[in-house]
Amino acid sequence: MMDNNANSMSSVHNTNTSSSNMHEPSQPHDAEFKGVSPANPPNQGMSGGYPAYPGYPAYPYPQDTAPREIQIVAPPTQFRRFGNAAALGLITFGICTVQESMMQAGMSVGYGHGQRTMTGQSIAVAGIAQFAAGLWQIANGDTFEGAAFTSFGAAWIAKGIADVPGLGVLDYQDNETPEVVRKQKGIVAVAWSIWVLILLAGNVKSHIANIVLFLTLNLQLDFSCAGVWTGNETITRLGGWFGFFCGLSAMYNAATILLNEENFWFNLP
């Protein structure tokens, strides 16, 4: 009788023990989380509720407060994000040169007429756009094209501003005799002819399209200078024809950059 009571009491005790164990909170695996316990669940004491994984500190991570020296270094040329601005400089120069040379040669409206219609394009297209292309080429490390585009862009801007009424340039020329005005333009043409000759010398080892461009540009300035200086209309018009072919060669050089096997059927020679 006593044995039966002892056995029943033991079974009751085991049953209570098992029941109490079922209600105890589960323990996390140490291999998965570090420092997480029922007293410190993952969403307490940690920013954003992220637990600390084994081998990693808890968030937020410790920051290095030591002062650091900041050095600004320009990236190498091959890693810069500037595209090839030579196409922009060539096409803006070519478009305006073709138009002005056609007027100078008297192909459409007659010799010496229609020059004022180039004022806006001289300032915006061949002036500002070409000047900006030169600055981009300098940033790309191309000193030659940068010097050529910026110098001619500035010259076109000056030419366009000179034709704007009310700025005093035209009024100043009206007070001069035609001979003095002609010689003043001749002096300007001589200086630019020397500069283009330097650019031509820097392209003697380049491809034929570049050589033709600077050769015809040099001939345009030379004949225009001689025609203006001497007052010979025929020589000046011949300079306009050289300028016409110079503008076409500039447009062709721009096409060789823009048209390639990626977007065209073949590379232009």
Side-chain angles (χ1 to χ4, degrees):
M1 185 70 180
M2 292 180 62
D3 293 339
N4 292 335
N5 291 335
N7 292 335
S8 62
M9 292 179 63
S10 177
S11 62
V12 172
H13 177 74
N14 292 334
T15 302
N16 293 335
T17 304
S18 300
S19 177
S20 63
N21 290 336
M22 291 177 61
H23 293 285
E24 288 183 0
S26 59
Q27 298 293 331
H29 298 284
D30 293 338
E32 296 181 0
F33 300 104
K34 180 180 180 181
V36 180
S37 64
N40 184 27
N43 60 348
Q44 292 183 6
M46 301 178 187
S47 176
Y50 297 106
Y53 290 92
Y56 295 92
Y59 185 86
Y61 305 117
Q63 301 293 328
D64 185 8
T65 58
R68 297 180 180 179
E69 181 180 359
I70 300 176
Q71 296 181 355
I72 301 176
V73 181
T77 304
Q78 62 271 23
F79 296 109
R80 295 176 187 172
R81 296 185 178 180
F82 290 110
N84 188 359
L88 173 62
L90 288 168
I91 197 63
T92 52
F93 171 80
I95 289 174
C96 292
T97 301
V98 166
Q99 297 178 64
E100 186 186 49
S101 298
M102 291 178 66
M103 298 175 188
Q104 180 180 341
M107 295 183 188
S108 57
V109 295
Y111 171 75
H113 298 281
Q115 299 290 339
R116 295 286 180 86
T117 60
M118 290 294 301
T119 301
Q121 293 192 75
S122 297
I123 297 175
V125 181
I128 297 175
Q130 188 179 183
F131 188 85
L135 295 181
W136 283 325
Q137 287 302 93
I138 292 176
N140 283 333
D142 194 333
T143 306
F144 182 88
E145 291 184 354
F149 289 144
T150 51
S151 60
F152 275 93
W156 278 95
I157 293 174
K159 184 186 298 185
I161 292 176
D163 291 334
V164 176
L167 295 181
V169 179
L170 298 177
D171 297 336
Y172 173 77
Q173 292 180 350
D174 291 338
N175 295 329
E176 301 286 349
T177 62
E179 182 180 0
V180 172
V181 174
R182 186 176 68 250
K183 290 183 178 180
Q184 288 175 343
K185 293 181 178 179
I187 292 173
V188 174
V190 165
W192 281 99
S193 179
I194 296 173
W195 170 233
V196 174
L197 183 62
I198 296 173
L199 295 176
L200 175 62
N203 269 275
V204 293
K205 294 184 178 181
S206 181
H207 55 84
I208 188 64
N210 264 346
I211 298 176
V212 171
L213 167 63
F214 286 100
L215 179 61
T216 52
L217 178 59
N218 191 265
L219 291 174
Q220 178 203 10
L221 292 175
D222 291 341
F223 278 86
S224 299
C225 173
V228 170
W229 202 292
T230 60
N232 192 319
E233 178 181 329
T234 303
I235 299 177
T236 306
R237 294 179 65 163
L238 184 59
W241 279 99
F242 281 117
F244 176 74
F245 290 108
C246 172
L248 292 180
S249 61
M251 297 171 74
Y252 175 81
N253 277 276
T256 59
I257 299 174
L258 297 176
L259 303 180
N260 48 58
E261 292 181 350
E262 294 181 358
N263 52 22
F264 197 60
W265 292 284
F266 54 87
N267 292 329
L268 295 177

